[in-house]
Amino acid sequence: MPEEEALFSAVDALLEQVAQDPLPPPAERKRLREAAGLSQGQVAKALDARRESVGNWETGRSEPRPPKRAAYARLLDGLAARFPAEPNATAPAQDTSVPETFTGTPAPAEARLSTGEAPEAAVMTTEQNSPPLPATAPVAASRPAITKPSSTSRRPGAKKAAPAGTPAGATDPRFENGPLAVVHVEDGQVLAYCTGGLVLDVPAKSLPSLVDWTLKEAKLGQPKLSGPGKPADPLLVLTEAALERYGLPAALTEEERIAGRIPEGHKVIKQLTRAQWKLTKRGFGPWARIYRPATGSERACVQLCIPSWNALDTRHWGAAGQLAPAELARLLGVYASRVMTPRGSTAVTGLELMTALHPATRASEPDADGKRHSEHNPGSLGKDPVDCAPCEAPDGHPLLKDLPRFHVRGPGEKLFEEAYDWARPMTDAECTLRHLVGIDVNMAFAAGANGLNVGLGAPTHVTNPVFDPKLPGSWLVDLSHVDLSRVKVGKEWVELDGSLLPSPFTPKGERPEGPAWYATPTVAYAVELGYDVTPLEAYVRYENGRYLDGWYQRLRDAFLATMADLGVDADLEPADFLAAMDGYRGRDPELAIVVSAVKATVKGGLGKLRERPRGEGWRPGEPWRALSRPTWRPDIRAAVISRTRINLHRKIVKHAAFTGQYPIAILSDCVVYAADGTSPLDFLPYKDGKPLPGGFKLGINPGLVKWEGTQSVLWGEGVREQFKAPELNLARYIKDGTVTDVDNGE
């Protein structure tokens, strides 16, 4: 009967799915495919699967599921009949490692380019004497199999490799599946894509149950970065398909986007409330934190990242939000292992990294009863905020509430340490040259933070102090007498054309006209140039330390390791370095995004030290939310920027003293020179066959420089004439020559 035959056919189909013969070992699957000359992509196309899935089947990270399993078994049986294994051949060992990133020759340079990009040199003397950082391990290390697989794993269970820089033996079994997972829905099945190629089945039917599963079964998280610190909470990245599955919108409305969250009355928030989960004050937005109050040392907190709600800002994360789940898990996993698990924007993560490396408190020694208590952690900023000095306070700060309403503070009232934005007209001699060449300092602000002594506590006001270059603070001093036409370079006085140099004491390069507030590195540089200083008053911090050293080192290591993976190594000669940098982003676009994110973490983290009000009905003179953080420290931000600007000026002065060449324009960490050739090699000087000591040097370490761009002198003069701006900052447009947003000062 037709009905009976249909039933039998259905039963036969079920039997075919559940009664499969064992598949060959993963290594044999790979051997058979390669013996037939087939690619993973060809196999994937035939089975209507993803190429990554075929790769996982061949490494044992996951197993094919019905109905693809039967088709895959049929393919392997056919290949085995045509390409039998040699009778006495030993089966190749199973490869459980994640494929390494780009290591081939990146550009038509010498063969040694295949090892990667050169690290940048440090800026200050102490940095130059430190040994070069060795290249770190590949993006993901091998994941050796363990005996008992996870019940939810799509491949045999495995221990996760420790993040880059983690000491041997520091792997935590609580977090064996990595720091994060990208949750996605495929063919009706909820899957969690973890780092290292691991894919987990997710049984959760609702968001509260997803949070429960994450904390109890997923084994996600990251070990603490310092002794008294805390492990990182697991991060779940929800794709649009996952949002739909768990009842959340794929995108925020305009009103929700402005508010930064979905309404409190949303059904999913009600589900969380009924399950006794809480949200932080920022609510359910692109970076939501779902938690229950901690009991003892046990935390119960999961963070969500929602790319379609603009959690991954395209300015810093590029097209990361559009990547497939496996690729996104890899990208964020590399960032997490080398920096830390993202806690929000790159700026938020940069600030959180400071705290993670220097927690405010630590456990005390046992008391008489054997109990430990929380105490201040030396070297940290503490758990309570401190007031800044009045000169360090930005406009609108409560310390300034008694000033007249429209009062504009001048240099004698306000500390104004910012990056360079300076340019000058070209000389007749420079106009006879053919090209304008821009060079850019790598990780300039990170280099400025390295070895910097910063204040840890509150400021102390002092009148008529004796300047101490080792004492961090803000100093009211007149530096207008410093003449750049005659300065000390090292121990020798040199004559320069001061009219062609920017002042090192102001962001616009203008010579100071009287007493002004400066951070310690700026005043110390005036002394270094050979001039006496007599401060009128100061706000100094007697409690101080090198708070940012660990932060710098972590971000430097992340940057250099990722650049090495992209084919730019630490030990390249200048010409090879320039060749390696050419097109490095195209070798692995995902890792190139990591590089951008690391750079943004540096700048954003420093910016957060002086975070301004963000709406919320704030009025001048009232406190805003950021002031309640111990990490709201505008003095530290000012010191880093001051040192970065001074580092750049020192190189410019040494370059001018040795070559007679002066910059045309400077924007932050980019400097433009006129030259006869198109390459930095055409004007960067060498002394005794080596780069000029203390000057510009090509390389990838923080503080060394790379090529930013080249345009013609005719282009520069042409755009200045076109926009009637003789001092238009050409450094802003040197990269590609496109001129936009011109401000001629009118």
Side-chain angles (χ1 to χ4, degrees), residues 261-276:
R261 64 185 73 186
I262 58 176
E264 295 293 327
H266 194 280
K267 63 179 182 179
V268 172
I269 297 182
K270 292 180 178 178
Q271 290 175 2
L272 292 169
T273 302
R274 286 195 297 269
Q276 299 183 332

Side-chain angles (χ1 to χ4, degrees), residues 133-146:
L133 180 75
T136 59
V139 174
S142 61
R143 301 167 63 91
I146 59 176

Side-chain angles (χ1 to χ4, degrees), residues 491-549:
K491 297 182 179 180
E492 298 180 359
W493 287 92
V494 298
E495 304 289 336
L496 301 172
D497 188 341
S499 65
L500 301 180
L501 286 170
S503 167
F505 309 127
T506 61
K508 290 291 185 181
E510 301 163 343
R511 187 168 181 168
E513 296 181 351
W517 286 99
Y518 303 101
T520 297
T522 303
V523 185
Y525 186 56
V527 176
E528 180 184 326
L529 292 176
Y531 292 86
D532 294 329
V533 297
T534 307
L536 303 176
E537 59 178 304
Y539 287 90
V540 296
R541 290 172 168 82
Y542 293 110
E543 182 187 357
N544 53 69
R546 292 167 59 160
Y547 174 72
L548 296 174
D549 274 11

Side-chain angles (χ1 to χ4, degrees), residues 101 139 330 334 338 562 565-566 588-595:
T101 55
V139 174
R330 177 204 176 215
V334 172
R338 293 179 175 175
T562 311
D565 287 337
L566 286 167
D588 191 327
E590 295 165 24
L591 287 183
I593 292 175
V594 175
V595 171

